[in-house]
Amino acid sequence: LNDCGKPTPFVDKVVSVIEKEGTSVATKFIQGYYDIPQLERGEPGVAYQVAIQDDTGMSNELRDRKIQLPSTIQVGFYHFGFNWLDPVVGQGKTPEEQLRNRKLRHALSIAFDLEEYVSVFEDDRAQPNFSAVVPGLFGNDLVKTNPVVYDLQPDGRNKRKPLSEAKRLLAEAGYPDGRDAKTGKPLVINYDVQGVGPGYKARLDWVAKQFAKLNVQLEVRNTDYNRFQDKMRKGAAQFFFWGWLADYPDPENFLFLLYGPNSKAKFDGENATNYANPEFDQLFARMKDLDNTPERAALIQRMVAIMQQDSPMIWGWSEEFGGAYQQWVHNGKPSNIIRDQLPYLRIDQKLRTQKIQEWNRPVWWPLAVLAGLLLLLIWPAWRGWKRRQEARAVQLNGDAA
């Protein structure tokens, strides 16, 4: 808070350079030629933290050069969604169907080991969520668990319910051991997703593995993003993967993802699951314009309880957002919400100049070695040429010319 009350900006000019290769950015940043590697993204900061965690060759330089690596959980989440209009995983028409489908969603929610996903694919740099009220939002601190998926331990930790509970719920939903109790046919879930590359293939395999725990078959329908969006607008998806980053850090900006009148299929809104619950919608209408008061907190708690019980989503995870700043950069704060950080950054120019010179002192001995090698190569040739020039011509009869 040393700069509180001072006029901004603290710098006169910002120079942004476009590099063709990411390795060039990393190298020049470590050398001190860049104050920050990127302006608005958190991947470099997280990558440097992982490098220190894994104790790679770069880790010593990061420590020795006192590079600042603050981090936070970004206000957003990646999640799996159930289409509320689908007859198998959706709401259902009759009370019996609604109960059966809800138990199926609960079973799948338990089987999806998001802690494993975060460990494997996010290097433990993410946090599983209990609801759509993600970290950084008012009301998140009130959500201590998701009783559908976790058992809250006496010490406050959350323990995922055993797979046996998921299998019990699956059987009660009418699919014992992953087969329809009436027809004997295997339960097949269509998974709509967009993504390419070997890394994404590994993620698809992980999702299939979660279904396989319950002997539920997964049909992956991987398309390009335009086709995926078209499916979502038409309500043609069954089970899908998507994400949402905050437009502004308020719970309304996430809870409206489950507000019935925002249904994507019916009203072209942002409610991709097409979820609708009359009580939830009424609470949302009351909550959305309130200040952050105890009344609003109580409404959010009730809405969270409803969404957890209905489980229109597997709430996924919120990724870590990391910053990377040289030691002479002040007021650096990583955030996927605050996009106008440049006016607040302050540079210690004297320290920057000193460190760049210290870290990039010219090394002259390779030139001396190179000169010596050249001399070794040239010397025999010169000696041969010299002998040739000084040699005396001799005739065949032995007389000097």
Side-chain angles (χ1 to χ4, degrees), residues 53 153 155 259 266:
Q53 175 182 310
Q153 304 299 300
D155 60 0
Y259 183 47
K266 295 180 179 179

Side-chain angles (χ1 to χ4, degrees), residues 72-84:
T72 185
I73 297 294
Q74 65 179 341
V75 187
F77 71 142
Y78 292 99
H79 59 271
F80 301 92
F82 301 100
N83 184 1
W84 207 242

